[in-house]
mmCIF file of all heavy atoms in Angstrom:
data_model
loop_
_atom_site.group_PDB
_atom_site.id
_atom_site.type_symbol
_atom_site.label_atom_id
_atom_site.label_comp_id
_atom_site.label_asym_id
_atom_site.label_seq_id
_atom_site.Cartn_x
_atom_site.Cartn_y
_atom_site.Cartn_z
ATOM 1 N N ASN A 617 10.321 7.284 8.983
ATOM 2 C CA ASN A 617 9.245 7.740 8.115
ATOM 3 C C ASN A 617 9.358 7.031 6.780
ATOM 4 O O ASN A 617 10.284 7.281 6.017
ATOM 5 C CB ASN A 617 9.336 9.256 7.894
ATOM 6 C CG ASN A 617 9.095 10.024 9.168
ATOM 7 O OD1 ASN A 617 8.161 9.726 9.888
ATOM 8 N ND2 ASN A 617 9.949 10.977 9.458
ATOM 9 N N PRO A 618 8.421 6.126 6.487
ATOM 10 C CA PRO A 618 8.503 5.401 5.224
ATOM 11 C C PRO A 618 8.283 6.324 4.038
ATOM 12 O O PRO A 618 7.686 7.391 4.169
ATOM 13 C CB PRO A 618 7.378 4.370 5.335
ATOM 14 C CG PRO A 618 6.436 4.928 6.331
ATOM 15 C CD PRO A 618 7.249 5.774 7.267
ATOM 16 N N PRO A 619 8.759 5.916 2.865
ATOM 17 C CA PRO A 619 8.580 6.727 1.664
ATOM 18 C C PRO A 619 7.113 6.792 1.264
ATOM 19 O O PRO A 619 6.346 5.882 1.548
ATOM 20 C CB PRO A 619 9.395 5.976 0.616
ATOM 21 C CG PRO A 619 9.389 4.566 1.106
ATOM 22 C CD PRO A 619 9.396 4.650 2.605
ATOM 23 N N TRP A 620 6.748 7.873 0.618
ATOM 24 C CA TRP A 620 5.369 7.990 0.157
ATOM 25 C C TRP A 620 5.341 8.457 -1.289
ATOM 26 O O TRP A 620 6.058 9.405 -1.601
ATOM 27 C CB TRP A 620 4.582 8.956 1.026
ATOM 28 C CG TRP A 620 3.129 8.774 0.790
ATOM 29 C CD1 TRP A 620 2.322 9.580 0.047
ATOM 30 C CD2 TRP A 620 2.310 7.728 1.248
ATOM 31 N NE1 TRP A 620 1.060 9.086 0.021
ATOM 32 C CE2 TRP A 620 1.024 7.932 0.755
ATOM 33 C CE3 TRP A 620 2.547 6.585 2.015
ATOM 34 C CZ2 TRP A 620 -0.026 7.080 0.995
ATOM 35 C CZ3 TRP A 620 1.504 5.746 2.268
ATOM 36 C CH2 TRP A 620 0.232 6.004 1.766
ATOM 37 N N PRO A 621 4.622 7.867 -2.185
ATOM 38 C CA PRO A 621 3.856 6.639 -1.962
ATOM 39 C C PRO A 621 4.785 5.442 -1.826
ATOM 40 O O PRO A 621 5.867 5.424 -2.408
ATOM 41 C CB PRO A 621 2.986 6.520 -3.214
ATOM 42 C CG PRO A 621 3.728 7.267 -4.263
ATOM 43 C CD PRO A 621 4.482 8.362 -3.547
ATOM 44 N N PRO A 622 4.385 4.445 -1.053
ATOM 45 C CA PRO A 622 5.267 3.305 -0.776
ATOM 46 C C PRO A 622 5.297 2.291 -1.904
ATOM 47 O O PRO A 622 4.564 1.319 -1.907
ATOM 48 C CB PRO A 622 4.665 2.706 0.490
ATOM 49 C CG PRO A 622 3.223 3.045 0.401
ATOM 50 C CD PRO A 622 3.150 4.369 -0.305
ATOM 51 N N THR A 623 6.130 2.516 -2.899
ATOM 52 C CA THR A 623 6.298 1.550 -3.989
ATOM 53 C C THR A 623 7.324 0.509 -3.548
ATOM 54 O O THR A 623 8.121 0.778 -2.645
ATOM 55 C CB THR A 623 6.771 2.236 -5.276
ATOM 56 O OG1 THR A 623 8.049 2.816 -5.034
ATOM 57 C CG2 THR A 623 5.779 3.297 -5.735
ATOM 58 N N ARG A 626 10.972 1.763 -3.534
ATOM 59 C CA ARG A 626 11.191 2.777 -2.494
ATOM 60 C C ARG A 626 11.251 2.128 -1.124
ATOM 61 O O ARG A 626 12.068 2.502 -0.285
ATOM 62 C CB ARG A 626 10.086 3.819 -2.525
ATOM 63 C CG ARG A 626 10.187 4.753 -3.685
ATOM 64 C CD ARG A 626 9.084 5.766 -3.647
ATOM 65 N NE ARG A 626 9.157 6.644 -4.793
ATOM 66 C CZ ARG A 626 8.153 7.387 -5.195
ATOM 67 N NH1 ARG A 626 7.009 7.360 -4.561
ATOM 68 N NH2 ARG A 626 8.302 8.160 -6.242
ATOM 69 N N ASP A 674 0.107 -0.451 -3.978
ATOM 70 C CA ASP A 674 0.825 0.006 -2.792
ATOM 71 C C ASP A 674 2.049 -0.897 -2.653
ATOM 72 O O ASP A 674 2.385 -1.595 -3.604
ATOM 73 C CB ASP A 674 -0.074 0.010 -1.545
ATOM 74 C CG ASP A 674 -0.656 -1.360 -1.221
ATOM 75 O OD1 ASP A 674 -0.045 -2.389 -1.586
ATOM 76 O OD2 ASP A 674 -1.733 -1.408 -0.604
#
Side-chain angles (χ1 to χ4, degrees):
N617 294 314
W620 196 257
T623 63
R626 287 181 182 162
D674 59 26

